[in-house]
């Protein structure tokens, strides 16, 4: 499923390529979608590429190829992107684990979380994952698949499945799911510096990003990890 903005951008690119044979510039995309900066276009392009709707052609400027378009029935409704909100309330698929519970529990698998460049939104695709109940303590939990390599030095690799306990606060040094500007969700280590919030990668190739406290909302804290070999 695509967000409204992703769907609009995909159709705009396809129309321009079909009409002129050349994909539009980032500036043209920004104006068409009424966005304030090109960084928003970059995130949308990355999300469409990751989902297999477009690809960038190497060694060519302004070269995007549309690989597929969503079926009409899957077009997004006119609404805001569906993100994991910080004020999570219990939902039918949410799972609360009692202290000391045994056996296996099913956790909702909400989608992919960027451990590199933040993605625009996390979609709940209706999937779930079964894990030993002993791996998590009391509280509500959910699972996410990691996309990217910015947390590799913390032992978190691309394709790992992480277990998150829902919370809206965290301590300095915790690895958290952070929602930036109500749009971008990312997995980073939390650092507090005075009145600022720093989201720190565990890979020297990535810079630490610093925000005002009102721009970052904590959506959960990392409590476990699964990896398939």
């Amino acid at each position: 499923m695509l967000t409204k903005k992703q769907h609009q951008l995909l159709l705009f690119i396809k129309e321009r390529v079909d009409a002129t044979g050349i994909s539009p510039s980032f500036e043209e995309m920004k104006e068409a979608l009424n966005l304030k900066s090109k960084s928003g276009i970059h995130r949308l392009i990355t999300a469409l590429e990751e989902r297999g709707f477009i690809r960038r052609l190497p060694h060519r400027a302004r070269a995007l190829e549309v690989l597929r378009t969503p079926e009409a029935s899957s077009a997004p409704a006119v609404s805001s992107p569906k993100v994991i909100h910080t004020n999570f309330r219990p939902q039918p698929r949410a799972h609360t684990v009692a202290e000391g519970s045994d056996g296996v529990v099913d956790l909702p698998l909400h989608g992919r979380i960027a451990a590199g460049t933040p993605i625009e939104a996390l979609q709940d695709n209706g999937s779930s994952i079964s894990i030993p109940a002993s791996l998590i303590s009391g509280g509500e939990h959910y699972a996410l698949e990691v996309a990217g390599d910015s947390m590799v030095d913390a032992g978190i690799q691309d394709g790992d499945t992480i277990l998150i306990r829902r919370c809206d606060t965290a301590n300095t040094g915790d690895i958290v799911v952070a929602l930036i500007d109500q749009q971008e969700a990312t997995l980073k280590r939390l650092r507090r510096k005075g009145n600022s919030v720093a989201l720190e990668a565990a890979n020297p190739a990535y810079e630490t990003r610093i925000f005002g406290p009102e721009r970052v909302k904590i959506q959960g804290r990392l409590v476990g990890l699964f990896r398939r070999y």
Side-chain angles (χ1 to χ4, degrees), residues 8-216:
Q8 288 177 338
L9 181 60
L10 180 61
L11 294 184
F12 177 66
I13 293 171
K14 186 177 188 306
E15 288 172 359
R16 289 294 297 273
V17 171
D18 288 347
T20 67
I22 302 173
S23 59
S25 67
F26 273 36
E27 182 66 29
E28 291 169 331
M29 295 183 216
K30 178 174 74 73
E31 292 179 359
L33 270 66
N34 195 28
L35 296 180
K36 294 181 179 180
S37 70
K38 295 179 184 178
S39 62
I41 295 297
H42 174 77
R43 290 193 298 271
L44 293 172
I45 291 289
T46 300
L48 289 172
E49 189 175 26
E50 288 179 348
R51 289 161 173 78
F53 286 95
I54 64 173
R55 71 168 177 169
R56 304 181 217 219
L57 302 178
H59 312 302
R60 292 174 57 186
R62 293 178 55 177
L64 296 173
E65 180 183 5
V66 177
L67 301 176
R68 63 189 180 98
T69 56
E71 298 296 331
S73 60
S74 65
V78 179
S79 62
S80 300
K82 185 178 179 182
V83 301
I84 294 182
H85 294 287
T86 130
N87 58 341
F88 251 137
R89 291 179 171 83
Q91 301 174 6
R93 297 192 66 248
H95 192 95
T96 301
V97 181
E99 296 287 351
S101 61
D102 297 318
V104 175
V105 297
D106 290 332
L107 296 184
L109 182 61
H110 283 302
R112 305 189 81 201
I113 178 75
T117 303
I119 54 179
E120 183 182 9
L122 297 173
Q123 299 289 344
D124 185 346
N125 57 13
S127 300
S128 63
I129 182 172
S130 298
I131 68 164
S134 59
L135 291 182
I136 52 180
S137 60
E140 280 190 67
H141 295 74
Y142 58 93
L144 296 167
E145 183 182 347
V146 174
D149 62 355
S150 76
M151 298 302 291
V152 292
D153 288 351
I156 304 170
Q157 300 181 13
D158 182 53
D160 285 348
T161 298
I162 53 174
L163 309 179
I164 303 295
R165 180 172 182 172
R166 291 176 181 169
C167 61
D168 56 12
T169 61
N171 297 322
T172 289
D174 288 344
I175 296 176
V176 301
V177 174
L179 185 68
I180 305 169
D181 295 333
Q182 295 294 331
Q183 282 192 334
E184 308 168 17
T186 189
L187 182 74
K188 292 292 182 292
R189 193 178 299 279
L190 177 71
R191 303 285 186 192
R192 299 190 186 277
K193 299 182 177 181
N195 292 327
S196 298
V197 174
L199 298 178
E200 179 182 275
N203 182 335
Y206 293 82
E207 295 182 353
T208 297
R209 304 178 73 199
I210 300 176
F211 302 91
E214 73 284 352
R215 296 184 60 192
V216 177

